[in-house]
Amino acid sequence: MAAPLASRRGAGAAGRRWVGLLPPVLLALLLARPAGALVEGLYCGARDCYEVLGVSRAAGKAEIARAYRQLARRYHPDRYRPEPGDEGPGRTPQSAEEAFLLVATAYETLKDEETRKDYDYMLDHPEEYYSHYYHYYSRRLAPKVDVRVVILVSVCAISVFQFFSWWNSYDKAISYLATVPKYRIQAMEIAKQQGLLRKAKEKGRNKKSKEEIRDEEENIIKNIIKSKIDIKGGYQKPQIRDLLLFQILLAPFHLCSYIVWYCRWIYNFNIKGKEYGEEERLYIIRKSMKMSKSQFDSLEDHQKETFLKRELWIKENYEVYKQEQEEELKKKLANDPRWKRYRRWMKNEGPGRLTFVDD
């Protein structure tokens, strides 16, 4: 009785071992691939590229090119004429076109040293199925143009667009300032003092029309405004050094300058305990306000003086100033009729209310 029981237990254990071995076996069967070197979808497919061109694996570039030219002339769809007794791949115009494409593919594969090396490796190692697919499509899908050239051209194009966009904004700002009476009158006074608005009464062919004189005066006024007014912020005069291309070129210099500046800051103010100068105080205030350098520079001088008088570089003083500004803004909004209408609408209706209009 014990013997049959032991035999049944042994059979059950063996069955469990076979069941445990089934998943790896099935996985191996699923992943198995044919060991043939020629694979459909890679290079010349089921045909050998060397046989397609009629050359040996030891053939050089000149022999491969010569064989390609002969076959291309023979199977070109526009020039193909079937020869008597021709049993090749191009017996009909359709098959001739297929043969021409196959010949072109074989030549593209064998003319490049790296691609030919990958193809020869595939012929010698047919079992590395996935590796062949990787090398084939990595070369096929690789960009034809150097990525560095693409990046350089893109950066240059962006820089050119930046320059003309900034210059257009600057011209618009100058044109607007030329219409503001305050600046226009001052510019005209300067032009009169310099004798730029004297209208020379020229006779004959060189006599200017009223429109030409008006345009010339307008350009004079704009030029004076350009030379006398320093526009800051988004409408300032474009500088070459602000373009993306030059910012990238000067990035190492800016990085080194920042490291040196930061080390000096730590040494002077954290270690030696020096007092902040005006430039350093304004820098701390700007950082507290979370404003960029161009935004802070566009502020009026009297605003910066107010910041310095109130000692806003000190954190406690800045918090008090910030709270005052928020309270002042709330008062302005409370007295604004548009803000009152908006609050009334939010209270009575609000964005979540559904209304239906009967037609």
Side-chain angles (χ1 to χ4, degrees):
M1 186 71 181
L5 181 60
S7 63
R8 284 197 299 271
R9 287 178 179 175
R16 286 194 295 272
R17 284 198 296 271
W18 278 108
V19 170
L21 290 174
L22 277 176
V25 172
L26 291 174
L27 183 62
L29 290 174
L30 289 173
L31 295 179
R33 288 289 183 267
L38 303 176
V39 182
E40 285 292 346
L42 298 184
Y43 304 105
C44 298
R47 299 285 304 277
D48 189 331
C49 292
Y50 291 102
E51 292 181 0
V52 171
L53 295 179
V55 296
S56 65
R57 288 186 62 173
K61 285 186 176 181
E63 185 179 353
I64 292 173
R66 184 165 56 252
Y68 166 70
R69 286 194 295 269
Q70 292 175 356
L71 293 173
R73 284 195 298 268
R74 180 179 179 184
Y75 293 116
H76 195 283
D78 296 335
R79 303 177 58 182
Y80 175 70
R81 297 292 183 273
E83 299 178 1
D86 187 5
E87 297 181 355
R91 291 186 295 272
T92 63
Q94 292 78 12
S95 59
E97 183 177 357
E98 295 175 0
F100 178 78
L101 294 176
L102 183 62
V103 168
T105 302
Y107 178 67
E108 290 294 328
T109 302
L110 300 180
K111 75 173 184 177
D112 183 68
E113 289 292 338
E114 297 298 327
T115 308
R116 184 178 180 181
K117 189 181 298 183
D118 291 342
Y119 183 70
D120 290 341
Y121 186 83
M122 186 186 77
L123 296 178
D124 297 333
H125 303 83
E127 70 279 359
E128 299 181 14
Y129 183 82
Y130 295 105
S131 176
H132 303 325
Y133 260 98
Y134 170 74
H135 288 291
Y136 175 76
Y137 283 104
S138 63
R139 293 192 183 280
R140 187 180 182 88
L141 301 177
K144 303 299 182 183
V145 183
D146 192 347
V147 177
R148 293 170 295 183
V149 176
V150 175
I151 293 174
L152 178 60
V153 172
S154 301
V155 170
C156 291
I158 293 172
S159 300
V160 171
F161 176 78
Q162 278 182 325
F163 183 78
F164 284 104
S165 177
W166 291 346
W167 194 265
N168 185 40
S169 299
Y170 178 69
D171 282 340
K172 286 183 178 179
I174 295 297
S175 299
Y176 170 75
L177 292 175
T179 60
V180 177
K182 174 184 176 181
Y183 301 111
R184 187 177 184 86
I185 293 172
Q186 292 180 5
M188 291 185 68
E189 290 295 331
I190 295 173
K192 289 178 181 179
Q193 293 175 5
Q194 296 178 358
L196 299 176
L197 293 181
R198 294 175 183 173
K199 301 175 183 179
K201 296 181 180 181
E202 299 175 354
K203 297 181 180 180
R205 297 179 180 178
N206 296 328
K207 186 177 180 180
K208 298 179 182 179
S209 63
K210 292 183 179 180
E211 293 182 359
E212 291 176 343
I213 294 173
R214 193 182 303 111
D215 292 340
E216 187 176 349
E217 290 179 352
E218 195 69 22
N219 290 331
I220 291 172
I221 292 172
K222 288 182 180 180
N223 290 332
I224 292 174
I225 292 175
K226 287 180 182 179
S227 61
K228 298 296 182 180
I229 292 183
D230 183 19
I231 301 177
K232 297 178 181 179
Y235 293 91
Q236 65 183 359
K237 188 175 182 179
Q239 302 290 334
I240 296 295
R241 64 176 180 270
D242 295 332
L243 299 178
L244 177 62
L245 177 61
F246 289 91
Q247 287 292 314
I248 294 175
L249 294 176
L250 296 174
F253 171 75
H254 291 319
L255 179 61
C256 295
S257 301
Y258 175 77
I259 293 174
V260 172
W261 172 85
Y262 186 74
C263 293
R264 287 180 178 175
W265 183 284
I266 296 295
Y267 177 74
N268 290 327
F269 304 116
N270 292 10
I271 298 177
K272 297 184 69 175
K274 287 185 177 181
E275 291 187 2
Y276 295 124
E278 182 176 334
E279 184 178 350
E280 289 77 16
R281 292 171 180 175
L282 291 175
Y283 173 78
I284 297 174
I285 295 171
R286 178 170 69 84
K287 286 299 181 181
S288 300
M289 293 182 173
K290 298 179 180 180
M291 298 176 66
S292 64
K293 190 175 184 305
S294 59
Q295 290 175 330
F296 194 78
D297 291 341
S298 62
L299 297 177
E300 299 290 340
D301 292 336
H302 66 86
Q303 290 179 288
K304 298 178 182 178
E305 292 176 1
T306 303
F307 297 158
L308 293 173
K309 287 179 181 178
R310 298 194 58 173
E311 299 182 352
L312 297 186
W313 66 88
I314 301 174
K315 187 176 182 180
E316 292 76 10
N317 297 344
Y318 176 73
E319 292 297 332
V320 174
Y321 171 79
K322 182 179 179 182
Q323 190 173 1
E324 291 176 358
Q325 293 296 312
E326 291 176 355
E327 293 295 333
E328 186 177 351
L329 179 61
K330 288 180 181 179
K331 291 179 181 179
K332 288 182 179 179
L333 292 176
N335 297 326
D336 188 358
R338 291 177 297 179
W339 178 247
K340 288 182 178 179
R341 288 197 300 270
Y342 175 73
R343 286 189 302 171
R344 194 160 48 246
W345 176 77
M346 289 292 292
K347 181 179 179 180
N348 298 332
E349 299 181 7
R353 180 174 176 179
L354 295 176
T355 58
F356 297 88
V357 179
D358 297 330
D359 292 332

